[in-house]
Amino acid sequence: MALLHRAEMRPTKFALLAAWLPGRPWYQGPAGADVERVAAYRFDDPAGAVGVETLLVRAGDGPIHQVPLTYRDAPLDGGDDWLVGTTEHSVLGRRWVYDACADPVYAATLAAAVLADAGQAEEFFEADGQREYRELSMTIAGSGTRGAEVPPVGAVRRVVEEDLTLIVTDSVELAVVRRPDGGTASEGAVLTGTWSGQPSPLPLAYARRR
């Protein structure tokens, strides 16, 4: 379960992405264009410390890009090269926003979603002790057996930034499809997604045990 706040972020995550995306080798789109949300899904951090959100975004008239992010209340050790930026959250204070592909919390939650069909987090707004359900903007499904054992995922050893971004850990290799409609594919179990305007499932990520 993801607990969200009706809060302001300054700068917004989309302003951070507008500055960060044009420098990525897998980005295809105009520089300086506003970044708009198409859909999103979240994973639960079992420790409850790190926000894990994957955004599907479009900049101008460019294609849809998949951008996993993690939100932390302190810098990620060794994560300087993967910092998207910092923002002030009106409820939670300063947040460090990272390209999640280098974050071990994201690697572990993605592996569970693909290999064990662990699903996405339900989302709730929380204010004044009350919780309000937020309708999900997309649906995801993993091809692995629901509840299957997933090997522990430790540190991220290597990230290869390409159209299919590779995440290497000691126990699993993961691949994130940066442009879901771009035709990139890999081997292994697959995570697929559907959203408004995209009723047929498209691959979002792949995983295989090492």
Side-chain angles (χ1 to χ4, degrees), residues 70-76 83-87 93-98:
T70 51
Y71 308 105
R72 289 176 167 265
D73 62 4
L76 172 64
L83 182 68
V84 175
T86 58
T87 184
R94 177 161 293 186
R95 308 297 284 175
W96 281 257
V97 183
Y98 288 94

Side-chain angles (χ1 to χ4, degrees), residues 43-46 50-52 54 68-70 72 76 99-115 150-159 166-176 205-208:
F43 294 140
D44 278 323
D45 170 18
V50 178
V52 185
T54 298
L69 299 173
T70 51
R72 289 176 167 265
L76 172 64
D99 177 351
C101 291
D103 195 315
V105 171
Y106 171 70
T109 55
L110 178 60
V114 183
L115 297 172
V150 178
V153 178
V156 173
R157 300 300 183 186
R158 183 164 58 98
V159 178
L166 181 66
I167 305 168
V168 180
T169 76
D170 290 338
S171 59
V172 297
E173 286 189 4
L174 304 159
V176 175
Y206 297 88
R208 65 181 183 87

Side-chain angles (χ1 to χ4, degrees), residues 4 7 31 37 47 53 69 82-83 87 91 110 113 118 120 128 135 143 163 174-175 180 192 198 200 205-206 209:
L4 312 176
R37 180 184 188 267
E53 180 181 32
L69 299 173
W82 307 98
L83 182 68
T87 184
V91 176
L110 178 60
Q120 66 199 100
D128 300 326
E135 194 71 33
S143 67
D163 293 349
L174 304 159
T192 58
Q198 181 57 54
S200 300
Y206 297 88
R209 294 170 173 82

